[in-house]
Amino acid sequence: MTIPNILTLGRIALIPVAVALLFADDPAVRWWAFALYAVLALTDFLDGWLARKLDQQSALGALMDPIADKVLVAALVIALVARGDIAGWDVAAAMLVLAREFLVSGLREYLGARAAALPVTRLAKWKTTSQLVAIALFILVPLFGADFALAASALWWIAAALTLITGYGYLATTIDHMRRGTA
């Protein structure tokens, strides 16, 4: 068990706590939800950086890190929709984000069974960053009001656009593998 793997597994274990904190009506608890979420989001970057820096990359980390990322995003998005913090047209963006995550997971599973790779792109890293920051803003909306909600919504739609672009790119790569007979 390596430090990066402990961070990844710890992130997964703490996601339900972050979600539960969102459902408290106390503003102080909302701050705790934000703080915990910020730590979880930061470990998304820290575990990969540490794995490379400490030369502790592992099969477990390669498997669990993308799962932890997707579970973090999906759980928080669903909770924020349920609470009404993500509402109106922003729910459509949430559905696009979640659908893309399922699509890419399926594409990776399909290609993995055929020993073909679907590496993470730089744009996909920006997509993840924009999603994580937008979710953080949505967590804070009840504390800061309508102007803050507008900023959260704008970033959320940027994240949704990057989500669609990267999803399309991964789909095109998979189709290319299929055409060339490498998948």
Side-chain angles (χ1 to χ4, degrees):
M1 192 57 76
T2 65
I3 292 169
N5 288 345
I6 291 168
L7 288 173
T8 299
L9 295 173
R11 183 164 74 244
I12 293 170
L14 289 172
I15 290 169
V17 177
V19 168
L21 291 173
L22 287 176
F23 285 90
D25 290 327
D26 183 352
V29 177
R30 184 54 80 120
W31 278 110
W32 281 106
F34 171 76
L36 179 56
Y37 172 76
V39 168
L40 297 177
L42 287 174
T43 63
D44 174 37
F45 299 103
L46 186 60
D47 59 6
W49 180 80
L50 282 173
R52 289 182 296 279
K53 179 97 171 149
L54 301 174
D55 196 27
Q56 293 184 342
Q57 296 168 319
S58 67
L60 178 63
L63 171 69
M64 295 307 296
D65 185 59
I67 292 171
D69 299 345
K70 288 173 181 15
V71 172
L72 178 63
V73 168
L76 271 288
V77 166
I78 291 168
L80 290 165
V81 168
R83 288 262 319 150
D85 298 320
I86 295 177
W89 283 104
D90 292 336
V91 174
M95 292 184 329
L96 291 172
V97 165
L98 295 177
R100 182 265 189 204
E101 299 305 336
F102 283 111
L103 171 71
V104 171
S105 293
L107 294 175
R108 283 207 168 97
E109 184 177 339
Y110 172 80
L111 290 174
R114 286 148 184 83
L118 192 60
V120 176
T121 65
R122 183 176 303 273
L123 189 59
K125 291 181 185 236
W126 281 103
K127 179 266 316 173
T128 299
T129 301
S130 64
Q131 285 177 351
L132 294 174
V133 173
I135 290 168
L137 295 179
F138 277 119
I139 291 170
L140 295 173
V141 163
L143 302 171
F144 291 104
D147 290 338
F148 208 77
L150 186 59
S153 180
L155 184 56
W156 188 233
W157 279 99
I158 291 169
L162 291 173
T163 296
L164 288 175
I165 292 165
T166 58
Y168 175 79
Y170 287 137
L171 181 60
T173 298
T174 301
I175 291 169
D176 187 52
H177 275 295
M178 295 169 82
R179 285 185 184 142
R180 290 184 291 133
T182 55

